[in-house]
Amino acid sequence: MSVNRLQTIRPLLFADDDALSLDVSVLNTLAGLILTAGLGHETRLGLARMEGRDLALLACVEPVGLLHEDDVHRLLDSGIDGVVLTGCRGRADIQKLDVMLRVAEARIGLPANRTRIYAEYGAAPEGLLSPHTLAGCSQRLEGLIFNGSALAKAVGCKEPASAAHQGVAAPVLAGRANVVLRAHEAGIRAYEVLPPTADAAATRWALSQSRNDGFASVVCRSPEQAVIAGSV
């Protein structure tokens, strides 16, 4: 998959426990719905069985050092299309998760490489300093997600602003540039997580800024952000 920042890619959305009550108009704007750990098997299964859904269902998973094979098996058995690996530290983490998914797919009887991987960078700052390329590390790797708020919290700097045109801390600027370059090198898409409190004006500005800086789209933190991002 080649990267084209001028191509309009629909946003992703971090869902909460009210995911099943999302309006159809919101769901139709999304490329994917990221389900949090708090969403149980029944909720995931209900979402996975939505008739005519045109979006990927992704489950947020813990850093690979904390992830157990039984947890991966349960996730795949619930019908998800992919996983978002939080706290990614680089190539080795992605490859370990790839192996775990391969084993789970074989146990369940799913086609090999069916489950996609999105690697989220930010919570583990050392991942942004890794010298190892991501190119060719996994056939499953669909995209990278930059979480500036998680990076800011990890290193103790100013979080990304929720209002348009406000300054961004140097570590966050360096981190977001790093993720765009890594995604470009690997030939995959990069997404940027919006500040959770960004209003309508800030959401429009952030989406435009993200695309100008090489991100394919954004990850929204609310249905309101998703509707705005999906219409721009």
Side-chain angles (χ1 to χ4, degrees):
M1 179 191 305
S2 62
V3 175
N4 181 356
R5 70 181 181 85
L6 299 179
Q7 182 182 6
T8 299
I9 305 297
R10 290 186 298 168
L12 306 174
L13 171 65
F14 272 117
D16 55 23
D17 290 322
D18 296 324
L20 282 174
S21 64
L22 286 174
D23 187 87
V24 173
S25 62
V26 176
L27 295 174
N28 287 342
T29 69
L30 300 174
L33 193 63
I34 302 173
L35 309 176
T36 62
L39 292 173
H41 174 85
E42 294 299 326
T43 301
R44 286 195 297 269
L45 195 58
L47 281 165
R49 290 179 175 172
M50 287 189 303
E51 292 186 7
R53 65 179 174 89
D54 184 29
L55 75 165
L57 295 174
L58 312 170
C60 231
V61 299
E62 297 176 312
V64 290
L66 303 176
L67 194 59
H68 298 287
E69 288 187 6
D70 288 343
D71 296 329
V72 176
H73 182 277
R74 282 193 293 270
L75 284 173
L76 267 59
D77 197 34
S78 68
I80 63 166
D81 301 302
V83 293
V84 174
L85 174 62
T86 64
C88 181
R89 297 167 299 178
R91 185 183 182 94
D93 282 355
I94 295 169
Q95 290 177 323
K96 181 176 179 179
L97 179 58
D98 186 303
V99 172
M100 297 176 77
L101 290 171
R102 189 186 315 155
V103 171
E105 286 170 342
R107 288 175 60 186
I108 299 171
L110 293 174
N113 294 321
R114 172 191 178 276
T115 312
R116 314 312 298 165
I117 294 176
Y118 289 78
E120 185 187 66
Y121 280 83
E126 63 269 30
L128 296 166
L129 300 176
S130 171
H132 304 296
T133 177
L134 298 181
C137 72
S138 171
Q139 294 181 17
R140 304 174 186 274
L141 188 58
E142 188 81 7
L144 305 184
I145 295 174
F146 175 65
N147 191 331
S149 295
L151 177 60
K153 183 177 180 180
V155 302
C157 71
K158 176 185 174 184
E159 289 203 28
S162 295
H165 308 295
Q166 292 188 1
V168 181
V172 176
L173 282 175
R176 69 195 298 272
N178 181 296
V179 168
V180 170
L181 292 171
R182 286 181 179 274
H184 179 77
E185 180 185 40
I188 56 178
R189 294 169 181 160
Y191 295 79
E192 181 171 30
V193 180
L194 293 178
T197 57
D199 58 16
T203 297
R204 292 189 184 92
W205 179 81
L207 177 62
S208 175
Q209 189 65 37
S210 292
R211 288 177 175 165
N212 286 341
D213 288 342
F215 291 94
S217 192
V218 295
V219 179
C220 301
R221 301 309 302 262
S222 71
E224 292 77 17
Q225 289 181 348
V227 170
I228 294 168
S231 64
V232 175

